[in-house]
């Protein structure tokens, strides 16, 4: 409770807070983290998830890519948890300036957050690689054949998701750097900070308070002003927005 009280005091004191989140923010919504011990490894696939979710694999074996993608990444019934809802509430109150997320599930927006920077894209957006026609998640889920194709031109439809080996969107990165570098408080939550270049964005923080909320230890714990080793939703649900 002492650490929760300390976090409450930080949130009460500052009005320029930025949240940087990873997979652990969404696990309480039932979305698996394939890096965790009980994640997606050792299941019914011949390749590890990080191989399947690579650009090379996508180009060479779209059928297997989409078998995995539709089965494990398209979770249309997932709903925001306490963490998503509290962040939206903090933004509404003028405390939180931006959510920077490594997640691709769209749950921050579903919870009501407005300023969300999706470093790795979103499963809610899909585009024809040839004519750029937009398709939603339902279209991808209901697609037949080896992989989804465009109704207009017949081209392959690709998720607007950053695969391994692909670069991050420049605008999203520069906007994230701007928010982090100007923040008084940076809350890092639900991430092991193992995925680069996203994790490297933390280096731009020069503010007053660095907070880490994660079940396991992270490389930034020694630099943090406050470390809470607990589920993100469990922690943020105890914060009162004034």
């Amino acid at each position: 409770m002492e650490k929760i009280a300390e976090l409450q005091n930080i949130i009460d004191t500052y009005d320029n807070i930025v949240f940087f989140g990873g997979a652990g923010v969404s696990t309480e919504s039932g979305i698996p983290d394939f890096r965790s011990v009980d994640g997606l490894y050792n299941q019914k696939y011949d390749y590890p998830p990080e191989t399947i979710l690579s650009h090379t694999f996508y180009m060479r074996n779209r059928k297997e890519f989409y078998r995995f993608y539709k089965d494990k990444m398209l979770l249309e019934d997932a709903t925001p948890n306490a963490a998503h809802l509290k962040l939206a509430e903090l933004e509404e109150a003028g405390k939180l300036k931006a959510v920077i997320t490594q997640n691709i599930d769209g749950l921050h927006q579903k919870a009501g957050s407005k300023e969300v920077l999706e470093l790795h894209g979103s499963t809610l957006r899909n585009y024809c690689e040839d004519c750029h026609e937009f398709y939603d998640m339902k279209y991808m889920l209901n697609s037949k054949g080896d992989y989804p194709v465009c109704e207009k031109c017949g081209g392959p439809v690709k998720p607007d998701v950053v695969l391994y080996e692909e670069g991050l969107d420049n605008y999203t990165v520069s906007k994230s750097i701007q928010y982090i570098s100007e923040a008084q408080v940076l809350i890092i939550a639900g991430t092991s900070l193992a995925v680069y270049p996203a994790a490297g964005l933390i280096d731009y923080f020069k503010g007053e308070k660095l907070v880490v909320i994660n079940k396991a230890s992270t490389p930034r714990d020694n630099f943090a002003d406050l470390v809470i080793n607990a589920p993100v939703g469990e922690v943020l649900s105890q914060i009162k927005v004034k």
Side-chain angles (χ1 to χ4, degrees), residues 22-228:
V25 178
S26 289
T27 49
E28 290 167 90
S29 292
I31 293 178
D33 171 10
F34 59 75
R35 269 184 203 81
S36 65
V37 177
D38 56 349
L40 299 181
Y41 280 108
N42 305 318
Q43 295 190 9
K44 57 184 181 183
Y45 301 95
D46 297 331
Y47 308 90
E50 285 166 322
T51 298
I52 298 174
L53 296 174
S54 69
H55 180 78
T56 299
F57 194 90
Y58 171 78
M59 296 301 289
R60 291 179 179 171
N61 194 344
R62 291 190 191 192
K63 181 178 182 180
E64 186 67 6
F65 172 89
Y66 275 108
R67 185 168 82 90
F68 178 90
Y69 182 75
K70 289 165 77 169
D71 190 28
K72 294 296 180 187
M73 312 296 282
L74 296 183
L75 303 167
E76 64 175 345
D77 295 330
T79 56
N81 62 51
H84 301 106
L85 296 169
K86 186 62 67 176
L87 290 168
E89 196 181 340
L90 285 166
E91 183 186 39
E92 179 72 22
K95 288 283 183 182
L96 186 74
K97 301 308 177 191
V99 169
I100 300 165
T101 180
Q102 299 175 79
N103 297 337
I104 57 175
D105 49 48
L107 290 181
H108 286 293
Q109 292 93 326
K110 198 179 273 191
S113 289
K114 303 287 190 293
E115 187 64 3
V116 182
L117 295 161
E118 296 170 311
L119 293 171
H120 296 148
S122 172
T123 58
L124 305 185
R125 301 187 300 268
N126 307 274
Y127 297 95
C128 172
E129 291 191 73
D130 294 339
C131 75
H132 310 296
E133 181 75 6
F134 169 85
Y135 291 95
D136 61 12
M137 182 192 286
K138 197 170 288 292
Y139 184 84
M140 303 299 275
L141 278 168
N142 295 333
S143 64
K144 308 298 181 194
D146 290 351
Y147 58 87
V149 295
C150 177
E151 289 181 327
K152 282 180 71 177
C153 75
V157 177
K158 182 179 183 292
D160 188 16
V161 168
V162 179
L163 302 177
Y164 290 101
E165 306 165 345
E166 293 180 342
L168 303 185
D169 175 70
N170 287 333
Y171 174 80
T172 306
V173 169
S174 61
K175 196 73 177 164
S176 299
I177 290 171
Q178 182 184 339
Y179 274 119
I180 290 171
S181 63
E182 293 174 357
Q184 295 171 305
V185 177
L186 179 62
I187 300 174
I188 301 170
T191 173
S192 60
L193 294 173
V195 177
Y196 281 81
L201 297 178
I202 304 305
D203 294 334
Y204 290 93
F205 179 63
K206 302 292 187 287
E208 303 292 321
K209 298 288 183 180
L210 179 63
V211 177
V212 176
I213 306 169
N214 199 49
K215 287 199 284 189
S217 61
T218 81
R220 300 289 169 148
D221 289 7
N222 292 336
F223 303 95
D225 298 282
L226 176 62
V227 177
I228 304 177

